[in-house]
Structures are given as C-alpha cells and as structure tokens.
Amino acid sequence: MMFTPLYLAALVFPLLALAHKPVVVDPTDSNVHYFTVNNGDTGATWTPVASSPDSCDTPQMLTSHLGDYMKFTFTGTGVEVVGTKGAKRGLINFGIDGTNSTVDRTCEHLVCNDVLFKKTGLPHQEHTIIATLIGRQPNLSNGEEDGVLSVQGIKYYY
C-alpha cells in the first residue's frame, strides 16, 4: 500500500498541532501545591486573593513569607508561571530540572498577567517546577522592605 504525501500530511499535521497545545491551570487548582516553611519569618503565608481591580481582576495565590514555595508537576515540553509585578518587590527563585533562575518582580506600577518565568524546549516527559520567595527589597512606594510572590496561573505545553 502506498501513501501519498497529502494523505501523510493529513495524518501528521493534526498530531504536530497537539504536541504544543497549551494547558492553562488556575492557581487554586488542586494540582498546584503551596508550602509554607517554618523559619521564623513573620510575613503572611499563602492566601487566596479574590478577583478585584487591586488583584488584576483575576484570582491568585499570594505570599509574603520568605521561603514559601509553589510546586507544580506536569508532563510536557514547556511551562510558564504567570503573576504580578509591582512596587511590592520580591525575589523569586524558579527551579526546574536542576536549573535555577532568579526573578526580581519589581515594577513602578502594578503589572497584571506577567510571565514571571518561562522555559521551553524541554523533553516531553514529567517535570516539576518550584517557585520560592527568596528575598525582599525596599518598596518603591513607601521605602519599607517587602516582597511578595503572586501566582495568577500556570500554562504548560504538552
């Protein structure tokens, strides 16, 4: 039996489109796990924030407790963590597959739905991403030291 190139293309192209289809995960999804580290820090631990103009009109999970982290396991080829940037600064460490990257979420004004971390080109297999609040800096509005980690969502590609 001989297959024409057009027939083969009709079979293969839909499969290629599925290979990089994004899956959007709500921050309150039960597959996203939030952990608080007992380290003596007095910052607020993970709190669900309802949708409002002050929270970018999207629900999110928020912490100001140093050492708190978010963990999400997925099977796919890439991932994005979406959150806010703003005057309440914060240093966030993102770790995936043994590599780490630190992000400063500082911005003079509130920025909604910002891609805080993105990693693509991963082998199609199971991966775990961890985001940890690791530092504080002076608030751009009032000069007081603070920092937060806000998770508005996760997008991964399979």
Side-chain angles (χ1 to χ4, degrees):
M1 175 180 256
M2 186 165 164
F3 297 107
T4 67
L6 185 59
Y7 176 79
L8 290 174
L11 291 175
V12 171
F13 286 127
L15 295 175
L16 290 175
L18 287 176
H20 298 289
K21 184 178 179 182
V23 176
V24 178
V25 181
D26 186 86
T28 59
D29 187 285
S30 63
N31 292 311
V32 183
H33 303 281
Y34 298 94
F35 300 90
T36 295
V37 176
N38 187 7
N39 60 6
D41 186 68
T42 58
T45 60
W46 288 108
T47 305
V49 178
S51 180
S52 74
D54 288 338
S55 68
C56 301
D57 290 323
T58 60
Q60 57 188 289
M61 291 294 289
L62 184 95
T63 186
S64 63
H65 187 268
L66 288 179
D68 279 8
Y69 63 99
M70 177 273 311
K71 186 175 181 180
F72 178 69
T73 300
F74 67 97
T75 299
T77 60
V79 65
E80 297 177 10
V81 177
V82 177
T84 62
K85 287 188 175 180
K88 287 188 174 183
R89 304 166 75 175
L91 295 176
I92 305 162
N93 182 71
F94 289 94
I96 187 167
D97 293 350
T99 61
N100 290 290
S101 176
T102 299
V103 172
D104 180 351
R105 61 170 298 284
T106 302
C107 190
E108 290 184 16
H109 58 280
L110 181 63
V111 177
C112 303
N113 302 307
D114 193 69
V115 177
L116 300 174
F117 177 82
K118 181 176 183 174
K119 182 74 173 177
T120 58
L122 298 169
H124 190 271
Q125 63 188 37
E126 186 174 275
H127 306 276
T128 299
I129 183 161
I130 299 173
T132 307
L133 180 62
I134 61 169
R136 294 187 178 115
Q137 297 172 320
N139 184 308
L140 295 178
S141 298
N142 60 23
E144 295 178 16
E145 191 171 282
D146 68 13
V148 298
L149 168 52
S150 161
V151 179
Q152 291 180 290
I154 299 170
K155 184 188 296 185
Y156 70 94
Y157 300 86
Y158 65 90

